Amino acid sequence: MADMADAPEIHSITLDAAGVPISALLAEPAGPPRAVVVAIHGGGMSAGYFHSRARPGLSLLDLGVRLGYSVLAVDRPGYGASAPHLPEGQTLDGQATTLHAALDDFAGGHDTGAGFFLVAHSNGGKLALAAAAGPSDGRLIGLDISGLGSALAVDPHRLPGPDSHGDWRRHWGPLRLYPPDAFRLGRALVRPVPGMEAAEGPLWPRLYPGIAALVTIPVRFTFAERELWWRFDEEAVEALTAPLSGTKVTVDHQPYAGHNISLGWAARTYHLKALGFLEECLLARDAAPPRRPPAGHPQPPAQAPDVRRSAAHHARTHG
């Protein structure tokens, strides 16, 4: 496994989301990217969640760029550079609008390859789904979401809020699932949960079906073995997947992991699976049969045979 000495260079950038500054971490390959992986952190965290330095190999940014992708880890609206402009954060709809504006700005100055693939954690998964549910120009490839369901495993009042990050044991699970440095380094990633986000949190089980019904790109959910915020029993998984009737949906389980998968020992395993799902999405695009034109539109004329080639062939085969 590569060590940190030869890790790809990570840049801090700021995107202009229609006047709202969105801070982000960016890793780019040497040549044109195959696609852009957009990493979206959860509640009370920041973009560095996907760039663990606790051990070599755990960073999604390092891994993605080695596989030929650009990786853009954003601070969600209400976090990072946008916090002074959005002190209460934004509703999910507002966050989705701001994210699309930030991606517009990024695409204006960077090669995006096949498009954007969203890898999101916890509350970031809500934003990923909301962004995919809105008007699309085809640039979103798929969603890979960890640490999010549609049925809470706790009473809503126990969710993290502006004055509380919630029960840390539910965020982390058993300590053995994380490198020793993960907790020390993780403290630098923690941010306050914006008020609007906290207020909307308990509403998610009601909001989810309507949002999910509008998603038309592939979605993969991952539940950690020790996920303690969300139910992922058979009944809960059925309720999670049923509204996503307009697309392909996959549900996976990650052994040896707690809620904060990307900060644990399982980070590399999970990230490889997420990027494997991206590969599947790209393969499905490349191998898809050609679309038929809509009814009423004339078919393109069949290509006329090459008379000269046919005549030559006839002369060779018939003397």
Side-chain angles (χ1 to χ4, degrees):
M1 187 182 297
D3 60 25
M4 291 185 183
D6 65 348
E9 188 173 355
I10 311 298
H11 301 279
S12 295
I13 67 170
T14 302
L15 301 171
D16 180 2
V20 177
I22 296 294
S23 45
L25 300 176
L26 174 64
E28 295 181 290
R34 300 173 59 209
V36 179
V37 177
V38 181
I40 307 173
H41 66 83
M45 276 284 174
S46 52
Y49 170 82
F50 287 99
H51 187 44
S52 172
R53 313 313 290 152
R55 288 292 187 278
L58 301 185
S59 166
L60 174 63
L61 282 82
D62 288 354
L63 178 63
V65 78
R66 292 180 192 280
L67 295 178
Y69 301 110
S70 292
V71 186
L72 178 70
V74 298
D75 285 318
R76 286 196 290 115
Y79 295 82
S82 70
H85 301 261
L86 303 168
E88 292 299 313
Q90 290 181 312
T91 64
L92 268 181
D93 285 345
Q95 288 186 60
T97 299
T98 299
L99 177 63
H100 276 295
L103 296 183
D104 286 341
D105 185 50
F106 182 82
H110 300 80
D111 189 343
T112 60
F116 296 108
F117 179 78
L118 309 187
V119 177
H121 176 248
S122 195
N123 278 8
K126 300 175 184 179
L127 171 54
L129 287 160
S136 174
D137 56 5
R139 67 182 179 181
L140 294 185
I141 301 169
L143 311 179
D144 197 285
I145 298 170
S146 66
L148 178 71
S150 61
L152 285 163
V154 298
D155 291 333
H157 73 271
R158 298 181 67 181
L159 293 172
D163 301 319
S164 170
H165 289 286
D167 186 345
W168 71 268
R169 289 167 295 188
R170 291 187 177 274
H171 288 301
W172 295 93
L175 304 187
R176 60 182 170 78
L177 301 177
Y178 299 87
D181 289 342
F183 304 99
R184 177 179 61 82
L185 297 173
R187 284 197 292 268
L189 305 176
V190 174
R191 301 289 186 273
V193 178
M196 287 188 184
E197 180 178 331
E200 207 171 42
L203 306 178
W204 177 244
R206 266 195 294 137
L207 295 173
Y208 172 74
I211 293 173
L214 299 175
V215 175
T216 58
I217 58 175
V219 183
R220 175 176 174 266
F221 291 96
T222 297
F223 291 99
E225 178 184 353
R226 300 303 295 270
E227 172 59 55
L228 299 174
W229 288 111
W230 300 98
R231 285 176 48 200
F232 54 99
D233 54 87
E234 185 176 345
E235 179 184 12
V237 168
E238 184 176 347
L240 179 69
T241 58
L244 288 161
S245 57
T247 188
K248 170 187 175 181
V249 57
T250 303
V251 178
D252 200 359
H253 298 84
Q254 179 58 58
Y256 311 111
H259 178 75
N260 284 330
I261 299 178
S262 292
L263 296 176
W265 288 117
R268 181 177 175 84
T269 304
Y270 164 63
H271 295 154
L272 283 167
K273 291 178 180 178
L275 296 178
F277 184 59
L278 168 53
E279 296 286 350
E280 290 183 6
C281 293
L282 294 176
L283 173 62
R285 283 188 171 194
D286 292 341
R291 292 184 178 181
R292 293 184 178 181
H297 285 244
Q299 295 275 358
Q303 184 174 359
D306 188 331
V307 177
R308 290 170 301 176
R309 191 185 332 172
S310 298
H313 176 75
H314 179 82
R316 286 196 303 271
T317 54
H318 297 283

